[in-house]
Amino acid sequence: MSTSHTTTLHLHTAFTVDVVDPRIFGGFLEHLGRAVYEGVYEPTSPHADDLGCRTDVLNALKRLRFTAMRYPGGNFVSGYHWQDAVGPREKRPKTRDLAWQSIETNQFGPDEFMQLSNRMDWTPMMAVNLGTGTPEEARNWLEYCNVEGGTRWADLRKEHGHEKPHDIKLWCLGNEMDGPWQIGHVPAEQYAIVAQQTARLLKMCDPSVELVVCGSCAPELPTYLEWDRKVLEHCKDDVEYLSVHRYVGNEDDNTPEFLAVTNSIDRQIEATDSVCRSVHHTKKTKRRVYLSVDEWNVWYRARTGEHVDGRGKFAPPLLEEVYNLEDALVAAGFLNSFIRHADSVKIANLAQIVNVIAPILTRGDEMLLQSIFYPIEMYAKRRTGVSLQTRVEGPGYESKKYGHVTYLDSSAILNGDQLSVFLVNRDLENSAEIKIDLADRNILSLIDAEIVTGKDPKLANTYDCPGLIQSQAFTELSISGGKAVVKLPPMSVYAATLQLDR
Ligand code: AHR
């Protein structure tokens, strides 16, 4: 029989973490599977706009309010040559992508991405090829994108019909170079030298750019954190951000364990940040390097065999994870962790945005919103403000892998006289009565709130039943003496905006 337990979420407006950087609500679009082709770009679709992009997909993406959008990879970028994908389409070569064993037609390239990005109001975040590419190739690309004109590569952009520079401020120095699977993978010392050479060239070409250097892409790798330290010691003064990647999964089919993974996301962020702080402190650098969690998601079902091997095809269906309710709770856990660490995490990118480990799927002219779509939408709406420290007082359970977890996972953002709270009830059986206790201000009223919940952690949307998991308005909340109380059903993600007294 289902019962209820009580938890208090303690907050105080003076106990702030930092301003939440809007770029933690970023996305990632890679030339992989059906992400670009059949995902965002499908000129033959009845949904296509004048750029050949699918308006149904773009409208759904708009609901997620993505900020930083990373492109064009991923593993793909480590064999990519940007010059293949610019200029007249009929002259662009067909190329082999060895990372995903697929065919790339280059019909959608960086200039098309920039047109799309401007239309979507994204902040472009370009990754350069440091697998088979050179620092000079990267620098040429930057000139092509950011320099007004009068020199070779900038003039080439103009010739291609893009008179004004794209003015791209965020650049990633390669992708997952610590991963043995990466094209051009080398030891940390070797990568650090090339990353630094590239960083210096890029900044000589355009000093206004901000750079992300590759950090450890998985805690399981033997070089975890040692790689980060070596790379940072070498590149600390040349880069602004250190890249962190994190994919999680429920391989053991144990939902409570899976929901406890948030603990280890916190620890990964804290451990990596501690390397940044330690290099900053011991090497007496002027500024700290911050974190860019530029790939994160649940990914474990479509991770091997035919799911990752394109078998020489164009736009093969790869990494097409189907997301369920428990995944939605874990996605919310990632976002809570980023908000709680607003002082160190400045960029985070959901990997990815459509068809490939994505909140949105397409099938022919149809589109399906997956479970993880909804928490991301609920959080993104309320992302403006300052993150508050959260203190949770309430029951929990012991996880074998991740230690003690409270049933409630939470984060909070203060925006003037409005407080947004983000709550996940990880209890599979029982509802949770949550008291929101903001010590120094009174809560006056509920502005709005939504919930995602369901009876079965494995429940997922399908093309036949697309509304099994979705967000719903949830207005049941009582306020007394300036404190709010909300009763959350088992397995739920809740986001609310509350009006405070002045
Ligand atoms: O997002 C899918 C892949 O995951 C990316 O290409 C790679 O960077 C990571 O291993």
Side-chain angles (χ1 to χ4, degrees):
M1 203 186 67
S2 153
T3 55
S4 175
H5 45 70
T6 306
T7 292
T8 303
L9 175 65
H10 296 282
L11 304 164
H12 190 295
T13 63
F15 296 158
T16 57
V17 182
D18 205 344
V19 173
V20 175
D21 194 317
R23 295 174 304 174
I24 68 169
F25 291 88
F28 173 36
L29 176 65
E30 176 168 6
H31 282 259
L32 195 186
R34 303 190 306 121
V36 172
Y37 309 105
E38 296 186 27
V40 291
Y41 179 71
E42 195 171 22
T44 54
S45 161
H47 300 295
D49 62 11
D50 55 319
L51 298 177
C53 292
R54 285 184 64 143
T55 50
D56 56 341
V57 172
L58 300 193
N59 288 336
L61 289 172
K62 278 182 193 152
R63 289 174 55 184
L64 299 182
R65 301 169 199 230
F66 285 121
T67 48
M69 188 59 69
R70 188 164 172 258
Y71 175 84
N75 295 344
F76 171 81
V77 83
S78 296
Y80 183 63
H81 298 290
W82 65 272
Q83 289 176 62
D84 290 343
V86 294
R89 280 197 164 107
E90 63 284 3
K91 291 198 177 150
R92 298 185 193 174
K94 244 190 211 167
T95 47
R96 281 187 68 192
D97 160 32
L98 300 180
W100 304 107
Q101 291 296 332
S102 306
I103 294 299
E104 174 56 55
T105 60
N106 290 306
Q107 292 303 293
F108 187 94
D111 289 328
E112 288 79 30
F113 172 73
M114 283 311 300
Q115 288 174 315
L116 172 63
S117 187
N118 291 335
R119 184 161 289 186
M120 296 296 285
D121 209 16
W122 292 333
T123 301
M125 182 175 179
M126 288 294 189
V128 302
N129 173 0
L130 290 190
T132 62
T134 61
E136 191 179 21
E137 182 181 355
R139 164 256 175 266
N140 294 345
W141 192 10
L142 180 62
E143 180 187 315
Y144 180 92
C145 292
N146 283 15
V147 174
E148 199 70 41
T151 49
R152 180 176 171 188
W153 301 106
D155 284 346
L156 184 66
R157 183 198 67 244
K158 289 184 169 196
E159 241 176 67
H160 292 160
H162 307 282
E163 187 55 33
K164 288 267 146 254
H166 295 318
D167 201 20
I168 300 168
K169 297 294 186 210
L170 264 180
W171 292 79
C172 305
L173 302 171
N175 175 70
E176 295 191 347
M177 294 305 296
D178 61 323
W181 58 86
Q182 198 67 213
I183 294 172
H185 161 67
V186 285
E189 295 81 356
Q190 216 171 315
Y191 167 69
I193 291 170
V194 176
Q196 187 186 53
Q197 289 170 342
T198 310
R200 291 188 176 173
L201 267 183
L202 294 183
K203 288 197 173 168
M204 284 160 97
C205 184
D206 179 353
S208 72
V209 295
E210 291 198 308
L211 304 177
V212 185
V213 74
C214 291
S216 292
C217 68
E220 300 78 29
L221 288 179
T223 51
Y224 178 53
L225 298 184
E226 259 316 288
W227 169 282
D228 305 72
R229 188 185 57 74
K230 286 177 183 163
V231 166
L232 275 186
E233 285 190 349
H234 204 82
C235 299
K236 57 194 180 306
D237 296 320
D238 302 292
V239 301
E240 281 68 28
Y241 306 101
L242 177 71
S243 166
V244 174
H245 289 183
R246 185 66 190 272
Y247 292 103
V248 299
N250 188 3
E251 291 88 352
D252 302 333
D253 195 14
N254 181 335
T255 302
E257 277 294 306
F258 184 41
L259 298 181
V261 75
T262 321
N263 273 8
S264 85
I265 298 167
D266 286 343
R267 296 300 86 78
Q268 183 180 357
I269 290 171
E270 287 153 14
T272 313
D273 182 46
S274 76
V275 177
C276 294
R277 287 176 193 257
S278 127
V279 170
H280 174 51
H281 182 68
T282 54
K283 302 288 166 190
K284 312 247 177 308
T285 57
K286 286 204 191 85
R287 55 175 175 76
R288 223 171 102 195
V289 169
Y290 291 98
L291 304 183
S292 169
V293 188
D294 42 41
E295 288 186 30
W296 69 266
N297 208 342
V298 174
W299 177 27
Y300 65 106
R301 288 155 291 221
R303 205 167 174 162
T304 52
E306 57 176 11
H307 296 292
V308 294
D309 181 355
R311 286 168 290 176
K313 297 212 171 67
F314 166 67
L318 300 179
L319 283 66
E320 300 209 356
E321 288 268 342
V322 173
Y323 289 113
N324 57 29
L325 176 61
E326 64 183 22
D327 301 326
L329 267 60
V330 169
F334 268 106
L335 294 173
N336 280 342
S337 183
F338 302 153
I339 295 169
R340 283 196 294 265
H341 295 92
D343 55 337
S344 54
V345 179
K346 301 298 175 186
I347 303 170
N349 306 69
L350 171 73
Q352 301 195 9
I353 58 172
V354 54
N355 286 332
V356 169
I357 41 174
I360 299 167
L361 290 175
T362 63
R363 182 177 75 179
D365 301 340
E366 296 174 279
M367 186 185 74
L368 180 69
L369 303 184
Q370 300 223 65
S371 64
I372 61 168
F373 181 94
Y374 295 98
I376 297 166
E377 182 184 37
M378 285 156 52
Y379 280 58
K381 268 187 196 174
R382 301 173 169 88
R383 67 171 179 232
T384 307
V386 178
S387 166
L388 295 184
Q389 290 178 30
T390 53
R391 285 290 169 269
V392 174
E393 192 187 344
Y397 61 100
E398 293 307 314
S399 143
K400 279 207 188 79
K401 284 195 222 154
Y402 310 114
H404 183 76
V405 279
T406 48
Y407 286 117
L408 177 69
D409 183 52
S410 63
S411 63
I413 298 178
L414 179 70
N415 183 17
D417 294 326
Q418 293 188 358
L419 172 72
S420 290
V421 291
F422 307 95
L423 312 176
V424 181
N425 179 13
R426 297 184 271 201
D427 194 324
L428 269 49
E429 317 254 299
N430 305 305
S431 28
E433 192 169 87
I434 315 289
K435 180 174 180 189
I436 303 160
D437 184 345
L438 182 65
D440 60 327
R441 301 273 298 264
N442 285 318
I443 295 169
L444 291 186
S445 59
L446 174 70
I447 297 173
D448 52 29
E450 287 130 63
I451 198 162
V452 174
T453 188
K455 296 262 174 271
D456 178 351
K458 304 296 180 192
L459 208 60
N461 292 337
T462 63
Y463 282 95
D464 290 337
C465 300
L468 293 175
I469 300 290
Q470 57 184 340
S471 56
Q472 289 161 13
F474 192 79
T475 50
E476 291 159 44
L477 173 128
S478 61
I479 297 173
S480 146
K483 317 286 177 206
V485 176
V486 58
K487 191 168 174 182
L488 300 181
M491 290 184 290
S492 56
V493 181
Y494 170 82
T497 306
L498 304 158
Q499 180 65 49
L500 308 180
D501 62 2
R502 280 163 216 280

